[in-house]
């Protein structure tokens, strides 16, 4: 019985080999008719033969990869604590330097400004002291002949001169008081201005971080980005250190659709190499007056030859 099983297995194995050998030409013919994917290495060799060094272009593009960023990013904050009374700009709105973005509750500060302004503008005390001084000077002038004729006692003369000196001191004190009141007015206005939060740059309000009724308490109120100009940051291998200088022209090609390439200028070449990546940084200033180029988009740099510059 054991011999029969082994014999049957050998017969089945022989039949399988015959079938596989017969079908192999069919599979080979079908494989020849099926199109194969192009070999990338063969494509590179063909490009090299035709003078299209695509591989070097791809390597150069990878080395010149860059990132567009805002030239300034400000977390707008308040120098004093308080509750937000109003927000005067919304997300995406363009703002100018000095534009009022938000204001804190400031009823007390406004009242102090009004009070200090009334005091500083009051000239009645100064005018009264001035008239008193002028009166004492006229009295002394009228007694000049009497004093010359020695018809007045020394005590009377001392009294007149003391009245005149006192009137002069009162007049000077009144003027100094007005100066102090004007300084208090300036202080009150400064305290009020601290509650009027203005943009320190020309830019776009990216995000409101607080809203009306919320306590500032040291927290940022809004995020403002300066998008004109933009900064383009690129890292280059250390082997290319020293090849580029500040002021040289480049062309920035953007990854986003419908964005034409733009010429720009190198503004900074780092003098320090990052030891781990063995790269150094470069910054390029990119004008963006119509804000057509968004910050955060990817790009790559094309360095121009001196003839094109």
């Amino acid at each position: 019985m054991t011999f029969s099983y082994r014999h049957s297995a050998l017969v089945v194995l022989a039949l399988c080999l015959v079938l596989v050998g017969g079908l192999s030409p069919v599979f080979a013919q079908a494989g020849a008719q099926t199109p194969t994917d192009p070999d990338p290495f063969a494509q590179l060799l063909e490009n090299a033969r035709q003078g299209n060094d695509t591989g070097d272009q791809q390597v150069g593009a990878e080395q010149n990869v860059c990132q567009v960023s805002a030239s300034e990013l400000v977390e707008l904050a308040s120098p004093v604590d308080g509750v937000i009374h109003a927000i005067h700009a919304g997300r995406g709105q363009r703002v100018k330097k000095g534009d009022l973005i938000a204001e804190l509750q400031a009823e007390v500060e406004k009242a102090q400004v009004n009070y200090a302004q009334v005091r500083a503008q009051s000239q009645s005390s100064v005018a009264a002291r001035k008239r008193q001084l002028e009166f004492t000077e006229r009295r002394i002038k009228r007694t000049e002949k009497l004093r010359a004729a020695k018809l007045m006692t020394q005590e009377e003369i001392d009294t007149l001169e003391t009245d005149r000196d006192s009137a002069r001191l009162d007049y000077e004190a009144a003027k100094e008081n007005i100066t102090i009141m004007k300084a208090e007015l300036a202080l009150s206005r400064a305290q009020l201005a601290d509650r009027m939060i203005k943009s320190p740059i020309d830019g776009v309000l990216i995000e409101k971080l607080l809203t009306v009724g919320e306590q500032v308490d040291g927290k940022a109120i809004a995020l403002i980005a300066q998008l004109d100009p933009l900064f383009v940051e690129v890292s280059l291998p250390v082997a290319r250190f020293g090849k580029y200088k500040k002021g040289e022209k480049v062309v920035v090609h953007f990854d986003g659709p419908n964005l034409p390439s733009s010429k720009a200028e190198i503004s900074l070449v780092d003098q320090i190499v990052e030891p781990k990546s063995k790269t150094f940084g470069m910054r390029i200033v990119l004008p963006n007056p119509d804000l057509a180029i968004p910050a955060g988009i990817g790009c790559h740099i094309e360095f121009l030859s001196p003839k094109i510059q």
Side-chain angles (χ1 to χ4, degrees):
M1 180 66 67
T2 304
F3 176 79
S4 299
Y5 283 134
R6 290 179 178 178
H7 185 266
S8 300
L10 291 173
V11 172
V12 172
L13 178 60
L15 290 174
C16 290
L17 292 173
V18 172
L19 290 174
V20 171
L23 292 176
S24 296
V26 178
F27 288 133
Q29 183 178 3
Q33 294 176 354
T34 303
T36 58
D37 295 333
D39 187 350
F41 295 100
Q43 186 66 42
L44 288 174
L45 290 173
E46 182 63 23
N47 290 334
R49 293 190 189 98
Q50 298 178 4
N52 299 327
D53 198 356
T54 306
D56 291 342
Q57 292 176 3
Q58 289 178 351
V59 171
E62 290 176 358
Q63 290 177 340
N64 296 344
V65 170
C66 57
Q67 182 77 40
V68 179
S69 63
S71 54
E72 293 284 347
L73 194 60
V74 177
E75 288 187 349
L76 191 63
S78 169
V80 296
D81 293 337
V83 177
I84 296 180
H85 173 69
I87 301 286
H88 298 286
R91 178 179 175 182
Q93 181 176 335
R94 296 187 69 168
V95 296
K96 296 289 185 181
K97 182 178 180 179
D99 284 353
L100 182 63
I101 305 300
E103 58 179 299
L104 308 183
Q105 292 180 359
E107 288 77 8
V108 174
E109 287 74 15
K110 290 178 180 178
Q112 289 176 342
V113 169
N114 292 334
Y115 174 68
Q117 190 169 0
V118 171
R119 294 186 63 197
Q121 291 177 347
S122 176
Q123 299 292 328
S124 58
S125 177
V126 176
R129 297 298 183 270
K130 185 178 181 181
R131 291 187 63 182
Q132 182 65 29
L133 175 60
E134 291 172 347
F135 172 72
T136 57
E137 288 176 343
R138 288 196 302 270
R139 287 182 60 190
I140 292 178
K141 191 174 183 179
R142 286 195 298 264
T143 61
E144 287 179 354
K145 294 181 179 180
L146 295 177
R147 286 185 295 172
K150 297 184 179 181
L151 296 176
M152 293 183 63
T153 64
Q154 187 61 41
E155 183 178 356
E156 291 175 334
I157 294 173
D158 291 342
T159 300
L160 289 175
E161 291 179 348
T162 301
D163 291 343
R164 180 198 58 194
D165 294 341
S166 297
R168 181 179 290 112
L169 291 174
D170 290 342
Y171 176 57
E172 295 297 332
K175 291 195 297 182
E176 290 177 0
N177 196 31
I178 291 296
T179 302
I180 294 172
M181 291 177 182
K182 289 181 178 180
E184 291 175 348
L185 174 61
L187 176 61
S188 298
R189 285 175 173 169
Q191 291 173 341
L192 178 60
D194 283 343
R195 295 181 170 269
M196 305 295 150
I197 314 304
K198 299 179 180 180
S199 175
I201 59 173
D202 295 341
V204 175
L205 194 145
I206 302 300
E207 184 180 2
K208 290 195 304 181
L209 304 177
L210 295 177
T211 188
V212 175
E214 289 189 294
Q215 181 79 26
V216 173
D217 194 19
K219 294 178 287 187
I221 298 173
L223 190 63
I224 299 177
Q226 184 173 353
L227 304 181
D228 180 31
L230 292 167
F231 284 166
V232 178
E233 305 289 348
V234 58
S235 294
L236 299 174
V238 66
R240 298 165 68 180
F241 185 82
K243 292 186 177 181
Y244 312 109
K245 297 180 180 180
K246 178 180 178 181
E248 292 183 2
K249 301 294 183 182
V250 300
V251 177
V252 183
H253 302 282
F254 305 102
D255 296 345
N258 303 322
L259 288 176
S261 301
S262 298
K263 281 190 176 182
E265 184 176 294
I266 299 174
S267 65
L268 174 66
V269 178
D270 286 342
Q271 299 301 307
I272 298 177
V273 174
E274 208 287 319
K276 291 185 179 179
S277 63
K278 298 187 183 304
T279 59
F280 66 97
M282 179 184 295
R283 173 176 291 172
I284 296 163
V285 176
L286 181 63
N288 191 29
D290 54 357
L291 305 188
I293 305 170
I297 194 170
C299 59
H300 67 276
I301 301 298
E302 175 188 354
F303 293 95
L304 300 179
S305 64
K307 292 182 179 180
I308 299 178
Q309 291 180 25

